[in-house]
Amino acid sequence: MDRLPGFRDFYPEPLPHPDVWSADARQYIFDKWRAMARRYGFREYDGPPLEPLELFTTKSGEEIVGQLYNFTDKGERQIALRPEMTPTLARMIAAHERNYKKPIKWFAIPQLFRYERQQKGRLREHFQFNADIFGESDVAADAELIALLIDTLRSFGLSSNDFVIRLSSRNAWEEFFNQRCKDSARAYEFYQIIDKLEREQPPQSEEKLAKLDFSFDEVESFIETGQPTAELAAILNNLKARGLSDFVKIDYHVIRGLAYYTGAVFEAFDKKGDFRAIAGGGRYNNLVKLISGGKVDLPALGFGLGDVVLLELLKARGLLPQFDAAPDAFCLIEDETLRGESLKFIQDLRLAGCAVEYSLTPAKPDKQFKRAQELKAAFTVKVERNATGETCAKVKNLQTREEKSLPFTEAPLMLIARKK
Amino acid sequence: MDRLPGFRDFYPEPLPHPDVWSADARQYIFDKWRAMARRYGFREYDGPPLEPLELFTTKSGEEIVGQLYNFTDKGERQIALRPEMTPTLARMIAAHERNYKKPIKWFAIPQLFRYERQQKGRLREHFQFNADIFGESDVAADAELIALLIDTLRSFGLSSNDFVIRLSSRNAWEEFFNQRCKDSARAYEFYQIIDKLEREQPPQSEEKLAKLDFSFDEVESFIETGQPTAELAAILNNLKARGLSDFVKIDYHVIRGLAYYTGAVFEAFDKKGDFRAIAGGGRYNNLVKLISGGKVDLPALGFGLGDVVLLELLKARGLLPQFDAAPDAFCLIEDETLRGESLKFIQDLRLAGCAVEYSLTPAKPDKQFKRAQELKAAFTVKVERNATGETCAKVKNLQTREEKSLPFTEAPLMLIARKK
């Protein structure tokens, strides 16, 4: 029996098969996301992986419907596995924002789902780092959010040689559109064409634009010569003060596919152009009002950073560390009459905070030692009885081969000291 | 628009409403689970939250069907949201066990789902700490697993006054059954009655047992006078060597509801009896063979520890810490001409590992200071320019009120030192 197509199994390293994913790498990524969010003062939240279908269909633009992993539940409800976190977050904020001081800075690490027509190898779920700010309309919030994204990517060892944030403005595009077309109902269609500009052949885009009475040339010219809006200039200035100018550039190719963006928008790309966008986000000042049925009106902005492209990029740039069990100690039990004492010693070491492995059942000393080496244990430890019948702990550093006899109480200290 | 019935929203503390859950408490619990699993040498894995329905219906006993959160997907597949982790794990182990040295010690923190008839306030999802061992039939593995469960609960501050592991044996019950009934097809029905013995009225159990030709008295007498099997005695001895005797007792009331258990079984209960079982597990030596269609045969055992009862228990015993944002520093920007320098200083502090908050937009000094106090920041920091035009960092400890002027480079060191 196999897992469902498009879903992933996460195994401990070393990985048994190219078809499975690393649980260690996943946790490594989550830990870095969480750590940087906290340094920036973001607080964690989460919502249900399942939501009423209408939370997504009525709020996120019609393009999302065909991609949703939706179904009818046993109670005849229309359900969707969340394809993105923002509608859930907007719902949660609308319900209880009054109890939180503004600006609200929150993050989450949800698993997200989609169900497109089957393509071989195409995933139907991924994890995403979501960070959002509510209640601040000043561009200082946009800069803070983009700085968080930059520093998150840097925390994996990625530099300004590896990635860049392409900064753009939905406002600038809206103005461009309104100057040339009075039918605002078609704006969304226009944004979709711009969003796909780099992925489609020029004649194809040209044809689509012509249907809306736009010329391909005027669009291209706007992208090439467009100046930063006052808003974007202020964001760039703020990032410059932080010393982050090298990580960001204006690029009007970016417009973001979803319907709800309202201001500055941005995407992170690898500089070699080997991968799809690493992350994307922007302002969505109207969404909370929309989701709350007009009851709550809060400016908002956020980004999403997925685990799949990031992992590919880190692999390609050689930035993933090696993941081992690497316990602090492996306890050798060479004398079975000392198994009871050894179990007590293991217990004490673990309660002191050390990760300890040992052979559950009697095994030859050389086999135990080999296992300690395979696991990349830092130390072997052993209970020994001396001539007068007293027991003590023998501790060996497997790197330096240095060996010491210690009273039991000192062994945990020695192992913990090593972790610093 | 509201969330689906039976699902939870997790908010940052302080909680805005009694109807929502604490994301901080959830992460606190997950961190403790993960830390103790690693100390015991368990490696993390995960599988998809969705699996083919038949993985559960054909393997876990028929009692699970009516409780499953199942549906038909867009590709006409029969799908279930996982109600437990063990079948997924058995599937993953069966696929790749050859690549891992035995015993395999793995853990996961999955979200699990069920869909029973609606009861007010009844949850349809929860999170569970799952730890399992494969490839070791010796009871040393049972003891190791139970010790992990005990130490996990202890890591929250729970003591032997708060909880006990009730240890039993599916084998002992199987022998009891076989001595009295030759129709092994009815064994599972019998186990179900034993499993519900403590929750049902005696006459009800008596009637059910009579239908299988068992007397209530002989069952009660077995529970009251039943001696530890050799297997259970060995587990108790092992736990005694670790100094954990106070946390475990033999109790034949425990039998575990699921069909697949084969040996020692156990449940953790709070001693006051205020809550449902905190955790449960046992041996399931035949499940991998069953799931793999006979291809892989590995002895196995594991437990599940849910987040909901544990959280209720910790709350009731006053063992939950207070959760605050509590940044290392709040940066006061009292002179707006120094905002640029302040942003750079904040950036440096964050890159050095400090959690730093500040006011995104200009605000009165007293308002900024009040916010720093509300957030329970450890320090306020401030960029100041002296008479000669040089800038330096002013750092104030909000507990001791001690204040110092420092060169920029020393401020991060001071804040980090505080975290130790």
Side-chain angles (χ1 to χ4, degrees):
Chain A
M1 200 172 310
D2 206 3
R3 65 181 178 278
L4 293 169
F7 286 83
R8 292 178 288 173
D9 285 335
F10 293 90
Y11 282 79
E13 303 238 8
L15 293 186
H17 192 275
D19 184 36
V20 305
W21 294 68
S22 166
D24 296 320
R26 188 182 77 164
Q27 196 55 36
Y28 171 76
I29 287 173
F30 289 1
D31 285 347
K32 294 252 181 229
W33 286 350
R34 198 165 263 128
M36 195 54 74
R38 287 178 183 159
R39 282 192 216 170
Y40 269 76
F42 284 66
R43 305 287 303 275
E44 191 159 4
Y45 73 95
D46 197 8
L50 279 63
E51 292 275 11
L53 179 64
E54 59 164 344
L55 182 66
F56 306 110
T57 52
T58 61
K59 311 304 176 194
S60 301
E62 284 301 311
E63 86 281 8
I64 209 154
V65 185
Q67 304 169 13
L68 277 180
Y69 203 122
N70 60 317
F71 61 90
T72 306
D73 78 4
K74 288 177 175 179
E76 297 298 318
R77 287 182 202 85
Q78 294 298 310
I79 308 285
L81 290 162
R82 60 186 174 198
E84 51 158 340
M85 199 60 183
T86 313
T88 295
L89 176 57
R91 172 179 69 65
M92 288 175 62
I93 288 285
H96 294 299
E97 57 86 18
R98 270 180 312 251
N99 296 81
Y100 293 95
K101 280 265 164 61
K102 313 298 173 298
I104 294 171
K105 294 161 71 177
W106 283 5
F107 79 97
I109 305 182
Q111 190 171 20
L112 306 177
F113 304 86
R114 64 179 169 197
Y115 194 111
E116 296 166 273
R117 66 192 179 287
Q118 186 59 20
Q119 288 172 274
K120 207 176 143 49
R122 190 76 186 266
L123 291 177
R124 286 187 168 151
E125 51 77 25
H126 73 143
F127 292 90
Q128 205 179 67
F129 177 35
N130 276 252
D132 295 80
I133 303 178
F134 291 85
E136 182 51 70
S137 53
D138 194 278
V139 290
D142 302 66
E144 173 84 347
L145 189 75
I146 292 168
L148 168 59
L149 175 55
I150 291 169
D151 279 342
T152 301
L153 293 173
R154 289 170 82 190
S155 72
F156 291 97
L158 293 164
S159 73
S160 58
N161 294 325
D162 297 308
F163 75 93
V164 68
I165 311 288
R166 296 161 69 181
L167 182 61
S168 177
S169 167
R170 184 65 74 92
N171 290 344
W173 276 114
E174 196 181 344
E175 200 183 311
F176 178 91
F177 178 88
N178 289 340
Q179 282 168 355
R180 290 162 181 79
C181 178
K182 297 300 160 208
D183 183 4
S184 65
R186 310 194 75 172
Y188 179 65
E189 197 181 333
F190 173 73
Y191 300 156
Q192 287 290 300
I193 302 169
I194 304 301
D195 188 48
K196 292 187 178 65
L197 218 51
E198 290 179 299
R199 281 166 285 161
E200 287 185 337
Q201 293 300 315
Q204 207 176 344
S205 301
E206 194 161 4
E207 196 187 318
K208 287 186 186 173
L209 285 167
K211 279 189 198 152
L212 294 178
D213 287 326
F214 285 86
S215 88
F216 186 71
D217 287 345
E218 65 184 337
V219 163
E220 281 286 292
S221 154
F222 177 73
I223 291 173
E224 272 161 40
T225 62
Q227 291 304 302
T229 59
E231 195 177 59
L232 297 188
I235 294 172
L236 288 178
N237 259 337
N238 183 306
L239 291 171
K240 191 179 172 192
R242 298 173 197 242
L244 298 177
S245 291
D246 287 352
F247 294 91
V248 61
K249 68 169 187 191
I250 301 293
D251 188 335
Y252 282 127
H253 280 105
V254 172
I255 192 165
R256 304 292 293 154
L258 291 168
Y260 54 63
Y261 287 106
T262 56
V265 289
F266 54 90
E267 293 183 351
F269 282 90
D270 76 291
K271 279 205 164 167
K272 288 193 186 167
D274 296 340
F275 301 97
R276 283 172 291 137
I278 306 165
R283 279 250 165 216
Y284 53 95
N285 284 345
N286 301 331
L287 191 65
V288 177
K289 194 171 177 185
L290 204 64
I291 298 270
S292 69
K295 273 182 230 143
V296 180
D297 191 5
L298 275 179
L301 63 158
F303 71 73
L305 161 61
D307 70 325
V308 176
V309 175
L310 177 61
L311 187 68
E312 285 172 0
L313 177 62
L314 295 177
K315 265 188 208 163
R317 302 289 175 265
L319 289 171
L320 275 183
Q322 185 169 351
F323 301 105
D324 299 301
D328 300 306
F330 190 100
C331 183
L332 305 169
I333 307 176
E334 298 173 353
D335 174 354
E336 280 298 324
T337 69
L338 290 172
R339 178 164 288 267
E341 283 87 344
S342 300
L343 285 172
K344 182 71 179 72
F345 183 44
I346 291 164
Q347 176 73 22
D348 291 344
L349 288 170
R350 285 173 174 169
L351 283 189
C354 303
V356 187
E357 267 291 15
Y358 67 104
S359 177
L360 287 172
T361 51
K364 287 184 182 152
D366 60 338
K367 212 182 139 190
Q368 292 183 50
F369 188 74
K370 191 165 157 250
R371 186 70 186 130
Q373 288 179 307
E374 281 169 0
L375 286 171
K376 300 204 168 66
F379 293 86
T380 56
V381 294
K382 190 161 58 177
V383 175
E384 280 192 337
R385 201 190 309 274
N386 64 21
T388 61
E390 284 168 335
T391 52
C392 70
K394 200 154 192 176
V395 178
K396 181 175 184 171
N397 184 318
L398 288 193
Q399 276 210 305
T400 64
R401 304 277 151 171
E402 191 191 350
E403 203 166 11
K404 268 188 199 171
S405 283
L406 294 170
F408 285 126
T409 45
E410 286 177 27
L413 298 176
M414 181 166 166
L415 302 193
I416 289 170
R418 161 253 173 187
K419 294 168 94 172
K420 294 285 156 65
Chain B
M1 201 172 311
D2 206 3
R3 63 182 180 276
L4 293 169
F7 285 83
R8 292 178 287 173
D9 286 334
F10 294 90
Y11 282 79
E13 303 238 9
L15 293 186
H17 193 275
D19 184 38
V20 305
W21 295 67
S22 166
D24 296 320
R26 188 182 77 164
Q27 196 55 36
Y28 171 77
I29 287 173
F30 289 1
D31 285 348
K32 293 253 179 228
W33 286 351
R34 197 165 264 130
M36 194 54 74
R38 286 178 182 159
R39 283 194 215 169
Y40 269 77
F42 284 68
R43 304 287 304 275
E44 190 158 5
Y45 73 95
D46 198 6
L50 279 63
E51 292 274 11
L53 179 65
E54 60 165 342
L55 181 67
F56 305 110
T57 51
T58 61
K59 312 304 178 194
S60 300
E62 285 302 312
E63 85 282 9
I64 209 152
V65 185
Q67 304 169 13
L68 278 179
Y69 204 122
N70 60 315
F71 61 90
T72 307
D73 78 4
K74 288 178 175 177
E76 296 298 318
R77 288 181 201 84
Q78 294 298 310
I79 308 287
L81 289 163
R82 60 188 173 196
E84 51 158 341
M85 198 62 183
T86 313
T88 295
L89 175 57
R91 171 179 69 66
M92 288 175 61
I93 288 285
H96 294 299
E97 57 86 19
R98 271 181 311 254
N99 296 81
Y100 293 94
K101 281 266 165 60
K102 313 297 172 301
I104 293 170
K105 294 161 72 178
W106 283 3
F107 79 97
I109 305 182
Q111 190 171 20
L112 306 176
F113 305 86
R114 63 181 169 195
Y115 194 112
E116 296 167 272
R117 66 191 178 287
Q118 186 56 22
Q119 288 173 272
K120 206 177 144 47
R122 190 74 186 265
L123 291 177
R124 286 185 168 153
E125 52 77 23
H126 73 142
F127 292 90
Q128 205 179 65
F129 176 36
N130 275 252
D132 295 82
I133 303 177
F134 292 85
E136 181 53 70
S137 53
D138 194 279
V139 290
D142 302 66
E144 173 85 348
L145 189 75
I146 292 168
L148 168 59
L149 174 56
I150 292 168
D151 279 342
T152 301
L153 293 173
R154 288 170 83 191
S155 72
F156 291 96
L158 294 164
S159 74
S160 58
N161 295 325
D162 298 307
F163 75 93
V164 66
I165 311 288
R166 296 162 68 181
L167 183 61
S168 178
S169 167
R170 185 65 75 92
N171 289 344
W173 276 114
E174 194 181 347
E175 202 183 310
F176 178 91
F177 178 88
N178 290 339
Q179 281 167 356
R180 289 161 182 81
C181 177
K182 296 300 159 207
D183 182 5
S184 64
R186 311 196 74 174
Y188 177 65
E189 195 180 336
F190 173 73
Y191 300 156
Q192 287 289 302
I193 302 169
I194 304 302
D195 188 47
K196 293 187 177 65
L197 217 51
E198 290 179 298
R199 279 166 285 161
E200 287 185 336
Q201 293 300 316
Q204 208 177 346
S205 301
E206 193 162 6
E207 196 188 318
K208 286 186 186 173
L209 285 167
K211 279 190 197 150
L212 294 176
D213 286 328
F214 285 86
S215 88
F216 186 71
D217 288 347
E218 65 184 339
V219 162
E220 282 284 293
S221 153
F222 177 75
I223 290 173
E224 273 160 38
T225 64
Q227 292 302 301
T229 59
E231 196 177 59
L232 296 188
I235 294 171
L236 289 177
N237 260 337
N238 183 304
L239 291 171
K240 190 180 172 189
R242 300 174 196 240
L244 298 177
S245 291
D246 286 353
F247 294 92
V248 61
K249 69 170 186 188
I250 301 293
D251 188 336
Y252 283 126
H253 280 106
V254 172
I255 192 165
R256 304 293 292 152
L258 293 168
Y260 54 62
Y261 287 105
T262 56
V265 289
F266 54 90
E267 292 182 351
F269 282 89
D270 77 290
K271 278 203 166 169
K272 289 194 185 167
D274 297 339
F275 301 98
R276 284 172 292 134
I278 306 165
R283 280 250 167 216
Y284 54 95
N285 284 344
N286 301 330
L287 190 65
V288 177
K289 195 171 176 185
L290 204 64
I291 298 269
S292 69
K295 274 183 228 140
V296 180
D297 191 3
L298 275 180
L301 63 159
F303 70 73
L305 162 59
D307 70 325
V308 177
V309 175
L310 178 61
L311 186 69
E312 284 172 0
L313 178 62
L314 294 177
K315 264 188 210 164
R317 302 289 174 265
L319 290 171
L320 275 184
Q322 185 170 348
F323 300 105
D324 299 300
D328 300 306
F330 190 100
C331 183
L332 304 170
I333 307 177
E334 298 173 355
D335 174 355
E336 280 298 325
T337 68
L338 291 172
R339 179 164 286 268
E341 283 88 343
S342 300
L343 285 172
K344 182 71 178 71
F345 184 42
I346 291 164
Q347 176 72 21
D348 291 345
L349 288 169
R350 284 172 173 170
L351 283 188
C354 302
V356 187
E357 266 292 13
Y358 68 104
S359 176
L360 288 173
T361 51
K364 285 184 182 153
D366 60 338
K367 211 181 142 192
Q368 292 184 51
F369 189 73
K370 192 166 158 248
R371 186 71 185 130
Q373 288 180 308
E374 280 169 1
L375 286 171
K376 299 203 168 67
F379 293 86
T380 56
V381 295
K382 190 161 56 176
V383 176
E384 280 192 338
R385 201 191 310 273
N386 63 22
T388 61
E390 284 169 339
T391 52
C392 70
K394 200 155 195 175
V395 178
K396 180 175 185 170
N397 184 319
L398 288 193
Q399 278 211 301
T400 64
R401 304 276 152 171
E402 192 190 349
E403 204 166 9
K404 267 188 199 172
S405 282
L406 294 170
F408 285 127
T409 46
E410 286 177 28
L413 298 176
M414 182 167 165
L415 303 193
I416 288 170
R418 162 253 172 183
K419 296 169 92 171
K420 292 285 156 63

